[in-house]
Amino acid sequence: MKYRTIGTDPTTRREVSVLALGAMLFGSVTDEKTSFAILDRYVEAGGTFIDTSNNYAFWVDGGQGGKSEELLGRWRRSRGVGEEIVIATKLGARPLAPGTGYADNAEGLSAKTIRESAERSRERLGVDKIDLLYAHIEDRTVSLDDTVEGFGELVAEGTVGLLGVSNHAIWRVERARSLAAAAGVAGYEVLQYQHSHLRPRFDVPESIFEDGSLGHAGAELLSYLRAEPGLTLVAYSPLLGGAYTREDKPVPPDYDHPGTPARLAVLRQVAEESGASVNQVVLAWQIGGRFPVIPLAGASSVTQLEENLAAVDLELTEDQRARLDSVH
């Protein structure tokens, strides 16, 4: 395994594995025995960065989520897991009532909600301190000051380590970070956005993005990261839910444009040259890029996890990287 540091403050920064494990479906779609086996193998291989959310996976059973956090809590207790494993969770997108969703009935990001939801997440995870806490989706019904102060208070109290943000407009990320700096409180340091080798369209409206997606890592976000080397990008869905390799998983509609075939072609070409799978090339391309990305990949079996783990040691040549980077 390889590692990198997230965060800049010596009191809160953490060293994490360059491959993060997504636990979104653990405890719901993926049963407990299988989930535990995946978690055990990940840790055995040196993995130290596990990702969940307080609303995972509400859409499976029509509830409000929490099952993933609860499973991770049981796993931690049964294995005696301590501070050596960094567990990240998110809040803000938990439905307020069963049968609803984050688009119409999300808990939001008021300071009061942040405090209450973080406390419930700590209870489910069985931890005194959340290593990394994200603002999951935007909440424009409350002031950014309220949100920034709410997160900052938890870091100051020691119940949260690092702060992150996901699925926000970049101008709001920068504004929140500026407000945090002005107030002398902790701000967002980890940005979790959807990012893969294929490039999506950004003009397709979604339920919470009326002007087009704010959840993908586009040119503005990548430019921001290059200008702010202290920030870290965690890339969710780097393998597009299996669409690179599985015939039963078509490429998502927002990737259906003339640029996709050329990028798929070079991925397959590099995979053939290196004796690796396309999935492994995507992950290796992110891990070893000009500014490194931490891919956040889920797994529904130990076999899938093994394939992902092997990508950590896949060394792409400069020529291969140049081809992967330059194709349009």
Side-chain angles (χ1 to χ4, degrees), residues 91 109 114 133-135 147-155 163 188:
L91 55 77
L109 293 174
I114 290 168
L133 181 63
Y134 291 96
T147 298
V148 167
E149 289 169 10
F151 279 117
E153 287 175 359
L154 298 185
V155 175
L163 297 176
Y188 302 138

Side-chain angles (χ1 to χ4, degrees), residues 252-273:
D254 49 348
Y255 294 87
D256 185 12
H257 58 77
T260 291
R263 292 186 79 79
L264 282 173
V266 74
L267 275 174
R268 290 165 180 158
Q269 188 179 69
V270 171
E272 185 175 354
E273 292 169 2

Side-chain angles (χ1 to χ4, degrees), residues 25-190:
L25 300 179
F26 289 1
S28 55
V29 174
T30 306
D31 64 58
E32 185 153 320
K33 181 180 179 182
T34 304
S35 299
F36 276 33
I38 294 168
L39 288 160
D40 290 345
R41 176 62 187 125
Y42 176 70
V43 172
E44 180 186 46
T48 63
F49 196 13
I50 299 169
D51 183 271
T52 186
S53 173
N54 72 344
N55 72 343
Y56 290 164
F58 76 87
W59 55 91
V60 174
D61 60 7
Q64 293 173 271
K67 289 187 175 180
S68 174
E69 288 183 330
E70 290 168 356
L71 181 138
L72 289 173
R74 293 192 296 273
W75 172 74
R76 288 184 72 259
R77 287 188 293 273
S78 71
R79 303 302 193 256
V81 170
E83 295 182 357
E84 71 278 9
I85 303 299
V86 174
I87 295 183
T89 193
K90 314 175 194 73
L91 55 77
R94 182 179 170 92
L96 287 172
T100 63
Y102 56 74
D104 60 344
N105 198 29
E107 63 183 351
L109 293 174
S110 70
K112 180 175 183 291
T113 295
I114 290 168
R115 177 171 293 278
E116 293 173 351
S117 289
E119 174 64 23
R120 289 194 293 268
S121 286
R122 288 197 297 121
E123 291 172 356
R124 285 189 289 266
L125 290 167
V127 298
D128 295 325
K129 180 178 182 178
I130 296 172
D131 299 310
L132 168 58
L133 181 63
Y134 291 96
H136 202 164
I137 60 173
E138 290 188 353
D139 179 8
R140 300 196 183 188
T141 69
V142 300
S143 71
L144 266 178
D145 296 87
D146 193 38
T147 298
V148 167
E149 289 169 10
F151 279 117
E153 287 175 359
L154 298 185
V155 175
E157 293 168 7
T159 56
V160 170
L162 290 166
L163 297 176
V165 62
S166 184
N167 304 309
H168 280 55
I170 302 308
W171 68 265
R172 285 179 64 83
V173 174
E174 174 60 17
R175 184 169 294 180
R177 282 170 41 80
S178 296
L179 288 170
V185 300
Y188 302 138
E189 294 191 88
V190 183

Side-chain angles (χ1 to χ4, degrees), residues 197-198 243-247 249 251 260-279 281-282 320 323-324:
H197 189 256
L198 293 188
Y244 282 112
T245 57
R246 291 175 53 178
E247 293 184 1
K249 293 276 190 175
V251 172
T260 291
R263 292 186 79 79
L264 282 173
V266 74
L267 275 174
R268 290 165 180 158
Q269 188 179 69
V270 171
E272 185 175 354
E273 292 169 2
S274 57
S277 69
V278 170
N279 285 342
V281 171
V282 172
Q320 289 170 335
R323 284 148 52 202
L324 289 164

